[in-house]
Amino acid sequence: MEKIQTSRRDFLKASGITTFGLALGISGFTRDASLKKITPAVLRLEINPFIIIDTNGNITLVNPRPDMGQGSTQAVPSLLAEELEVNLEKVLIIQSDGMGKYGSQTSGGSSSVRELWFPIRKAGAAAREMLTATAAKRWNVPVSECHAEDAKIMHKASGKSLTYGELADDASKLEIPKDPKLKEAKDFKIIGKYNKRLDVPERVNGRAVYGIDVDVPGMVYASILHSPMIHGKVASIDDTEAKKIQGVLQVIKTERTMPHRTSEAVAVVATNYWAALKGKKALVVKWDNGDLEKTLSTASYYAATYDAAQKEGINAEEKGDFAVKYAAAKDKIESNYETPFLAHAPIEPENAVAHVKDDGTVEIWAPVQGPDWALRDVCGYMKVKPEQVKINVTLLGGAFGRKAYHDFVLEACHISKVVKKPVKVIWTREDDISQGPYRPGMLSHMQGFVDDGKITGFHHHAIGESIAGQVFKQLKDTEADPWLSGELATENNKYRFEGASKVSWTNVKTDIPVVWWRSVYASNFGWGQECFVDELAHLAKKDPLKARMEILTDDRFKKVLQTLAEKANWEEKLPEGSGKGLAVFSSFNSISACCITVSKKDQGVKIDKVVSVIDCGHYVNPDNVKAQTEGNIVMGLTAAIKDGITFTNGVSDQSNFHQYNIMRLNETPAMEIHIIDSGAAPGGVGEPGLPPIAPALGNAVFAATGKRLRKLPFDIANLG
């Protein structure tokens, strides 16, 4: 399997498309000699999001989901190869470019396999049926006597065979089946099986092309000085020293356009990146920061959330009259659980190449999570039509939600328009961490009660900045954030509280830019929900596992917890100073549970082991499920015990990895991942394993030490 990057311009040569063949869902192609002369860029625009089989037998898939490390370049072609009865090595991949005919093209919300499970498989199955029908007609035999195998159609009785390439041209004349017969799960040869990641070698040996690797003829480089207070305006620029640096071409005032507001910045443009960066450091810029010292403050933000916790929120869901039942309850508790702002900190910082041309067209090369969203944002910003914009998506060196926020792409567009050349913008690590956007810090105000040793009342008041409100401007002051229903609703968590239950919301706004972060709100609110369920279990004098099993109404959830209890040996008696904690959470149509074992070490505890169980329904490759879950464990632990993002006097207190720590390899605990083969519809994999991690750790700390932690992050080595 080959991932064809935009820098590999000779697509026709690489894929061997020299005659037409079979193209499913393709519009705009004509079967004539001119096809041979179509350039790679034009050809790319004309391919629909399914497949092409040419007369040489080459199979090409347009991948509508960029690969940011989650493995879409393996998972998506696996769906096709399964139904088409070919090996993965036979599938060539090109990336979609954002045009509407490709449908949804954003990697996010753990949606790639979930949303492409049927469309890509149906494309493969349709092609298989068309090729089979063509072969049967040539041999004058019933279709039922023919079958597909290893890119050929076989006639078992006679031993005859024809390759897909030999059949493709005639097959392309048939009507595409609207409802092709898909393979049953029991017949899968690729889906659900371990298959070696064919895209890994080039990522290890350096051949893979990421955004930061793109080189365009005539390109110049830009390094941007942003205001330390993010939204500051430029008062004055002294570029005297910057212009003395060899290679520096221009110093210009530019802008950073975010969904909720636009900020000013200064760009140094040079013949090479190091000159641009050195020039940036030599700039002397005075900023007009207005009242940002007050509005960019995490202390004042959290003060507002705790104030909101004392008031009624907007009702998102309620079953029974919670306030009345809570007031009358004998055994009840109330707690606040806090989570911090977090940076995404992908290994590859934000970067983009933009070329705004004299004819009004725009071409982008960038590691974006969604070319469709990037196209929309570039068109809106540049005031051009979609047909005037070409988006070239590269591999992404991590993203976690950050690279679906296109401020860095629009910066490159603005600078290119000014300097009239293709411009490569590269953010520094300091830009990435100190400028945001961030996962919003949140507060969970929890109330609950028990009756006769059972949890019967539960209220989760979610408080904080709304991504839907700030980024999408889709939240009215009188309504609850609609995203809560996908994570905190009883329909999602499957807890049934016989007394009463409630989910409410208060929007505390901030000028600190926010956006989704791996698992979105689930990483915030899973902490409050699952730690508080533990608190209620102890109030009821119940084992935390048994307490959950009593209020769960869904057999899949119960199976996940039962499996976790077995694999983590939940019932074992631990030595003094050790403890186990568990948590379960559903997100992105998957269910994940975690058990963490800790033991006392000096003034704190150490993490001995993490056991994670996931039911994601049908999956493509178990190795990828495990890899993603391991990544979720590391990221979840990092979010629990490493640095958050704080703002003091309008400026981020964190600027690089010396202040914004991430978990290192030597700190990573032993991990076990177990997958439940439920056979359910495909769920997400890239994010669902994260939400249970922090609460499982918090519950384990309580079990080992008796200390109930309610604020993240905490110092695991010194619990006070």
Side-chain angles (χ1 to χ4, degrees):
M1 180 175 62
E2 183 179 356
K3 169 77 175 180
I4 301 176
Q5 303 292 345
T6 44
S7 60
R8 300 174 192 174
R9 299 184 179 281
D10 195 359
F11 169 76
L12 292 178
K13 181 178 178 180
S15 63
I17 299 180
T18 55
T19 53
F20 185 61
L22 171 63
L24 286 196
I26 296 174
S27 59
F29 276 105
T30 56
R31 295 183 64 251
D32 59 32
S34 66
L35 181 65
K36 299 180 183 180
K37 301 177 183 179
I38 292 179
T39 64
V42 175
L43 182 61
R44 186 187 292 267
L45 289 172
E46 294 296 325
I47 298 176
N48 224 305
F50 295 125
I51 59 174
I52 300 169
I53 303 172
D54 71 16
T55 54
N56 291 327
N58 297 295
I59 300 167
T60 302
L61 167 71
V62 177
N63 178 26
R65 298 302 169 96
D67 197 313
M68 53 186 174
Q70 86 280 26
S72 70
T73 53
Q74 173 90 352
V76 179
S78 293
L79 300 175
L80 173 64
E82 181 68 75
E83 295 292 347
L84 202 50
E85 296 289 0
V86 299
N87 295 325
L88 276 172
E89 290 88 345
K90 293 185 180 293
V91 182
L92 301 176
I93 300 172
I94 61 174
Q95 179 62 49
S96 65
D97 60 8
M99 299 304 279
K101 61 187 176 184
Y102 298 110
S104 174
Q105 297 159 65
T106 297
S107 289
S110 299
S111 62
S112 294
V113 172
R114 285 194 294 147
E115 294 184 2
L116 297 177
W117 177 257
F118 286 113
I120 298 296
R121 288 179 61 207
K122 283 184 176 181
R128 186 186 70 236
E129 289 187 3
M130 295 165 74
L131 293 163
T132 304
T134 301
K137 183 178 180 181
R138 284 195 190 176
W139 295 325
N140 195 26
V141 298
V143 170
S144 59
E145 293 182 6
C146 305
H147 69 278
E149 180 181 329
D150 192 25
K152 298 177 182 177
I153 302 299
M154 316 288 291
H155 184 236
K156 187 174 181 180
S158 66
K160 294 179 181 178
S161 68
L162 288 167
T163 67
Y164 286 178
E166 292 173 311
L167 297 166
D169 201 37
D170 285 345
S172 69
K173 302 169 187 176
L174 300 179
E175 183 178 352
I176 299 173
K178 294 182 180 179
D179 191 22
K181 181 177 174 57
L182 300 178
K183 293 172 68 173
E184 295 183 26
K186 64 181 179 61
D187 298 322
F188 287 163
K189 300 172 184 174
I190 297 174
I191 295 176
K193 316 297 183 189
Y194 169 79
N195 285 283
K196 183 170 63 175
R197 284 281 296 269
L198 301 177
D199 53 357
V200 167
E202 66 175 15
R203 302 186 190 197
V204 175
N205 64 28
R207 288 183 58 231
V209 178
Y210 291 83
I212 208 164
D213 299 321
V214 169
D215 189 3
V216 173
M219 180 179 76
V220 293
Y221 294 79
S223 188
I224 302 174
L225 181 64
H226 299 99
S227 169
M229 292 191 188
I230 300 182
H231 304 303
K233 296 181 179 180
V234 176
S236 66
I237 304 171
D238 183 350
D239 58 9
T240 305
E241 296 302 316
K243 287 184 174 179
K244 292 179 182 179
I245 295 169
Q246 185 177 358
V248 170
L249 301 172
Q250 288 180 255
V251 176
I252 65 172
K253 181 179 174 182
T254 186
E255 59 190 25
R256 178 188 176 197
T257 302
M258 292 168 277
H260 67 302
R261 62 188 298 177
T262 296
S263 302
E264 295 181 350
V266 181
V268 176
V269 181
T271 57
N272 62 82
Y273 175 67
W274 298 113
L277 181 61
K278 191 174 181 181
K280 168 186 172 180
K281 293 180 178 179
L283 285 173
V284 178
V285 177
K286 292 183 179 179
W287 303 94
D288 177 3
N289 293 310
D291 62 352
L292 291 172
E293 286 190 21
K294 297 178 181 179
T295 61
L296 292 173
S297 166
T298 45
S300 60
Y301 171 80
Y302 281 109
T305 65
Y306 279 90
D307 181 61
Q310 304 304 311
K311 305 172 184 176
E312 284 290 320
I314 298 171
N315 201 342
E317 174 190 283
E318 186 167 18
K319 297 180 180 180
D321 192 328
F322 182 85
V324 170
K325 295 289 183 68
Y326 183 76
K330 178 183 178 183
D331 297 317
K332 56 188 175 183
I333 51 175
E334 185 172 7
S335 301
N336 289 313
Y337 282 86
E338 179 184 320
T339 55
F341 288 83
L342 292 176
H344 302 77
I347 293 299
E348 177 196 29
E350 293 70 44
N351 64 87
V353 176
H355 190 188
V356 179
K357 304 174 186 178
D358 292 337
D359 62 2
T361 61
V362 182
E363 187 161 11
I364 306 290
W365 296 260
V368 293
Q369 287 181 230
D372 49 347
W373 288 11
L375 179 67
R376 173 203 64 193
D377 290 349
V378 169
C379 286
Y381 180 70
M382 298 299 296
K383 303 295 190 291
V384 294
K385 298 177 180 179
E387 55 268 27
Q388 293 176 276
V389 180
K390 177 66 174 15
I391 305 288
N392 303 286
V393 182
T394 66
L395 289 173
L396 291 73
F400 315 115
R402 173 60 180 94
K403 291 173 183 172
Y405 192 97
H406 300 124
D407 51 344
F408 60 100
V409 177
L410 303 185
E411 283 182 331
C413 289
H414 182 266
I415 298 169
S416 176
K417 184 177 181 180
V418 173
V419 303
K420 301 185 184 304
K421 294 179 181 178
V423 174
K424 185 174 191 176
V425 167
I426 303 176
W427 279 35
T428 63
R429 179 61 58 196
E430 288 80 6
D431 291 326
D432 172 62
I433 289 178
S434 67
Q435 290 290 312
Y438 306 103
R439 182 192 79 169
M442 291 287 187
L443 186 70
S444 292
H445 176 61
M446 314 298 303
Q447 295 175 305
F449 53 89
V450 302
D451 188 22
D452 292 331
K454 184 177 181 180
I455 302 171
T456 54
F458 194 87
H459 174 206
H460 193 150
H461 182 184
I463 305 167
E465 179 59 287
S466 165
I467 299 170
Q470 188 190 93
V471 177
F472 294 101
K473 299 178 178 62
Q474 293 179 347
L475 185 67
K476 298 178 182 177
D477 291 339
T478 56
E479 67 178 355
D481 191 312
W483 293 6
L484 293 181
S485 62
E487 293 170 354
L488 297 183
T490 51
E491 179 59 31
N492 182 63
N493 61 44
K494 303 301 183 184
Y495 287 140
R496 181 173 181 271
F497 303 102
E498 295 176 354
S501 65
K502 183 177 180 180
V503 176
S504 60
W505 161 259
T506 297
N507 185 190
V508 173
K509 298 180 181 180
T510 178
D511 281 332
I512 299 171
V514 300
V515 78
W516 42 79
W517 185 91
R518 193 172 190 174
S519 77
V520 199
Y521 290 150
S523 68
N524 295 100
F525 298 134
W527 167 243
Q529 173 181 297
E530 287 301 297
C531 286
F532 193 65
V533 168
D534 248 48
E535 285 202 68
L536 289 169
H538 286 282
L539 180 65
K541 297 181 173 57
K542 280 280 178 65
D543 171 85
L545 173 64
K546 293 179 180 177
R548 285 175 171 82
M549 296 295 281
E550 284 183 347
I551 58 175
L552 279 171
T553 60
D554 184 88
D555 289 340
R556 283 183 68 190
F557 272 79
K558 291 180 180 180
K559 177 68 173 178
V560 168
L561 279 179
Q562 289 166 347
T563 303
L564 180 70
E566 174 190 337
K567 300 298 183 182
N569 198 8
W570 175 258
E571 300 291 345
E572 74 173 321
K573 184 174 178 59
L574 296 174
E576 184 72 20
S578 294
K580 290 183 178 179
L582 62 79
V584 62
F585 205 85
S586 173
S587 57
F588 308 101
N589 294 350
S590 291
I591 306 163
S592 180
C594 175
C595 177
I596 295 181
T597 305
V598 303
S599 57
K600 284 187 178 180
K601 182 181 180 182
D602 301 325
Q603 299 301 308
V605 300
K606 66 181 182 72
I607 303 171
D608 298 316
K609 189 176 184 180
V610 180
V611 179
S612 186
V613 175
I614 184 168
D615 178 353
C616 57
H618 279 300
Y619 52 86
V620 175
N621 189 334
D623 188 59
N624 201 47
V625 176
K626 291 182 178 181
Q628 288 296 296
T629 305
E630 288 170 349
N632 276 309
I633 291 171
V634 171
M635 206 161 172
L637 291 176
T638 295
I641 64 176
K642 298 294 183 179
D643 305 294
I645 291 290
T646 56
F647 275 79
T648 304
N649 297 324
V651 178
S652 169
D653 298 313
Q654 296 74 32
S655 65
N656 208 316
F657 287 132
H658 67 298
Q659 295 161 319
Y660 188 76
N661 285 282
I662 59 174
M663 181 169 278
R664 267 58 172 182
L665 184 63
N666 66 336
E667 300 175 287
T668 306
M671 292 183 276
E672 284 184 16
I673 314 298
H674 301 278
I675 306 169
I676 293 179
D677 291 309
S678 66
V685 170
E687 299 169 273
L690 193 149
I693 304 302
L697 178 59
N699 293 336
V701 169
F702 176 79
T705 68
K707 295 180 179 179
R708 179 63 71 181
L709 304 173
R710 298 187 179 90
K711 180 179 178 180
L712 296 181
F714 59 85
D715 185 353
I716 197 171
N718 185 9
L719 296 174

